[in-house]
Amino acid sequence: MPLENPFQDPLRFERRVPECAMVIFGANGDLTKRKLLPALYRLAYERRLDAGFAVLGISRTPMTDDQFREKMLASVKEFLEDSPFDADVWTAFAQGVFYMAGNFDDAALFPALDARLKAIDAARHTGGNVLFYLSAQPSQYIPIAQGIAAANVGKGSGWRRIVIEKPFGHDLASAQTLSAELHSAFEESEVYRIDHYLGKETVQNILALRFGNGIFEPLWNRRYVNHVQITAAESIGVEGRGAYYQEAGALRDMIQNHLSQVMATIAMEPSATFRPDSVRDERSKLLRSIRVMKPDEVLQNTVSGQYGPAHIGGEDFPGFRQETGVKPDAQTDTYAAVTFFVDNWRWAGVPFYLRSGKHLPKRVTEIAIQFNAAPLAIFNSDETTTAPNLLILRIQPEEGISLKFLSKRPGSGMKLRPVSMDFNYGSSFGERSPSAYETLLLDAIIGDATLYTRQDMVEASWAVVDAIQHVWDNTKFDFPNYAAGTWGPKAADDMLARRGHVWRQP
Amino acid sequence: MGAAGGTIAPDRILHDMADLWVSLGKQGEGDAGVLRACSMTLVVAAEESDDPQAIGETLAALMPEHPSRAIVIRFRAEDRRSLAARVFAQCWMPFGHRQQICCEQIEITASDASLPDLTAVVLPLTVPDLPVILWCRSPRIFHLPAFPQLAVIAQKVVLDSAAFGDSAAVLGEMSGAAAAGRLLADLSWTRLTRWRELIAQIFENRGQLANLPLVTDIMIAHRAATPTTAYYLAAWLIDGIATTGARPRVQFRSDGGEPAWRLSRVEMRAPGSADAIASIALAERHAAEVRVGGLLNKALLPALTDYALMREELAIPGRDPVFERALAAASKLALS
């Protein structure tokens, strides 16, 4: 049998995926409806999936295969963003969509799952390859892992992989427990911890910008970089998820995972190759180099915030404590800002400011790298002539890169003004960018874990965040401390001002 | 911005372009201004009779993905030497943005007799440090004796062998040019990408890949006299299957109809089996039916407009080894 497909044409064809079946635990949930099935349909539409690709949904609700297909058809139509729907493509794709009802705590579910997978393999030639996807409640992760291990469904004639969604525990200890349970059924190399931020085109473009160009890397260090700001702002509040959110908070929900992964991508050393483990090793090393704060450093270098009620654009918005399901004295952080330092030769002494919050003025995620000023100001200095050089990497909503620098104003005299050189991802290439889930699902099926988080990375970021969370848990904050629609508490401005910096307004 | 009657000066065109950017900058709202984008120089050689609106629309559609300085040369079959030029810009405003993005376009009208003068005009107009791609839309222009002088400024020349008529002759001609070191692209090969991609996807499945050495017969059905697309596909399939040690026979079958280059069916068969190992057949509404291992799938085939074909080719400004291999093999197959 030939080992390689001789018909591949990497210059023209998209990456192809091997045959497989995908098992979705929590198939009746929001994530499946809003993200997973639309992403899979889109991959089918783009001819990226094998002809026999199969999806087996599992949840508690009794349904037939056809009922599940109908439900998923409605979801795909509703949540298919910027893509056309084609009935013929759906009909062919839906032939491979199956369903089984079951309780994840029920040990009998897993042998039945094994039998169903064998039947699907026989009918659809999936080669014994199975991708398990945990789209269930986090509390169900361990029972599912135990069920898979007990019935030995984690091993088979082909490859087996498991994708899990965050949270990967709620602290370091619980993250280690979860990992140990997953490892009872899967090797670490078979566990794909998804962080959809890493699937975004612009986050991947950070690697291209840094390691595909020769001009940036010499500047990418403490000698030239003054500080880095990473902002992930949401303009909405908790939107009915108050009960869940009050147990999480911005520090755990955003900074422990998404923002620390983005920071690692910005600050990591170049990897020797672009192989998954090579890239992840460097990311992991960076996360392990983030200085863990001592208890007496935490309140100086972090800010916890919670939004209060506000009147914006003629509309009244409730404060977090007035949201449904939230305790009236909740101490949850809907805003978190931290100052991290990386203890390595490249970054020693350079502050990395990370902030994330709900009900901020706009939805935006960006990284701003501020460079040191010119060593000598030879022009008449005013506010504009001292504007710093900034490299802005916008992750959402308008993915792109801007470089801000000073230029001479036309006319006599030497007056400078800041100008911006913009690269807009969407308009420069004009192509539809795949959604983060399309990218990440394809990667998992192909077996490319570059954009997935490894357990050592999870543990490293928990170690940093736990030190902060522990102090916050033992502090009574005077919440609310910022009004919805503002850029967060004044204390966050003060935190930067202590080092002579100011937050950039995205 | 026109130029003097019978001649054009590249310096004058460059000056006109500089003026154009100044005036576009002044038209910009507030600080937003216009953004100049350029990733290559695209030279289009077309007949004067070629629909200027269609070419303009194709270039406008290509600009957002392949922002280029476009130099459109419109040739007139005339013995008297004459050249004229004008410059203008293609701009677009990305949805939700304040800033216009613009690319330059230069239009040159030339008589056939002026072709030897053109290289000296076009060369200074190309954007430094970026690839130059020449899209020749007419077999007549390609066969003009002075065409190689123009082609030499381009890294790659894009042709459409479907316009040349005699498949064996054009494949031989292109294969000879490629062997001499000229980088070529053929839009007839580009038309096959989705067919080839469907075939490649079938054999991503390990079960199907194991069947590949069993293929003894390939059948390719097409619309009219065997087009270059059919030769290309046959050559590519034979080349791929040959890696398993097998040497399948190829049968071409004409179903009649238009356009001549369109394929209607591909089958790969093993002896003693009623069903094909794999087959792809053209269905209604730009779709293809893929039959493999008892499963029937439907895939959409995008419309093969000039825009879609050029969009794909412009993404490969360098060598395309798969095409080069297929061209050499298709040329031999067509002559056999």
Side-chain angles (χ1 to χ4, degrees), chain B residues 177-236:
Chain B
R182 157 85 35 229
L183 276 193
L184 292 173
D186 183 354
L187 299 184
S188 289
W189 170 255
T190 325
R191 288 186 184 97
L192 286 175
T193 299
R194 299 302 155 233
W195 285 79
R196 294 193 303 117
E197 197 173 22
L198 290 171
I199 292 166
Q201 176 62 4
I202 289 170
F203 295 100
E204 275 303 293
N205 185 303
R206 284 172 303 160
Q208 297 307 328
L209 188 59
N211 288 332
L212 198 57
L214 308 179
V215 175
T216 54
D217 290 276
I218 298 168
M219 191 282 291
I220 297 174
H222 49 83
R223 291 285 163 88
T226 315
T228 51
T229 41
Y231 286 120
Y232 276 136
L233 187 61
W236 177 73

Side-chain angles (χ1 to χ4, degrees), chain B residues 67-79:
Chain B
S68 326
R69 176 178 291 175
I71 303 172
V72 180
I73 311 169
R74 305 180 65 79
F75 284 92
R76 190 183 320 131
E78 197 177 83
D79 292 338

Side-chain angles (χ1 to χ4, degrees), chain A residues 1-9 11-14 16-17 19 45 47-52 86 88-89 92 95 123-125 127 129 398 422 424 427-431, chain B residues 35 64-65 94 96-97 99 101 189 193-194 196-198 200-201 203-206 209-210 212 236 240 243-244 285 293 295-298 300 311-313 316 319-320 322:
Chain A
M1 172 179 154
L3 294 174
E4 293 280 339
N5 179 355
F7 296 122
Q8 277 308 342
D9 186 349
L11 275 179
R12 293 179 190 261
F13 302 166
E14 299 282 1
R16 312 307 310 184
V17 304
E19 64 280 18
Y45 183 89
R47 307 171 301 277
R48 310 288 297 273
L49 299 176
D50 179 67
D86 185 275
D88 286 345
V89 173
Q95 288 169 14
R124 306 218 27 111
H125 318 294
N129 302 325
E398 287 174 15
D422 296 320
N424 189 291
S427 59
S428 294
F429 290 118
E431 293 182 22
Chain B
L35 195 66
E65 285 154 79
H97 292 248
Q99 198 168 36
I101 301 178
W189 170 255
T193 299
R194 299 302 155 233
R196 294 193 303 117
E197 197 173 22
L198 290 171
Q201 176 62 4
F203 295 100
E204 275 303 293
N205 185 303
R206 284 172 303 160
L209 188 59
L212 198 57
W236 177 73
T243 61
T244 71
R285 295 193 311 118
L295 296 171
L296 171 66
N297 246 297
K298 214 158 200 179
L300 297 182
R311 172 179 179 253
E312 183 176 325
E313 282 309 325
I316 311 170
R319 296 203 87 87
D320 180 352
V322 178

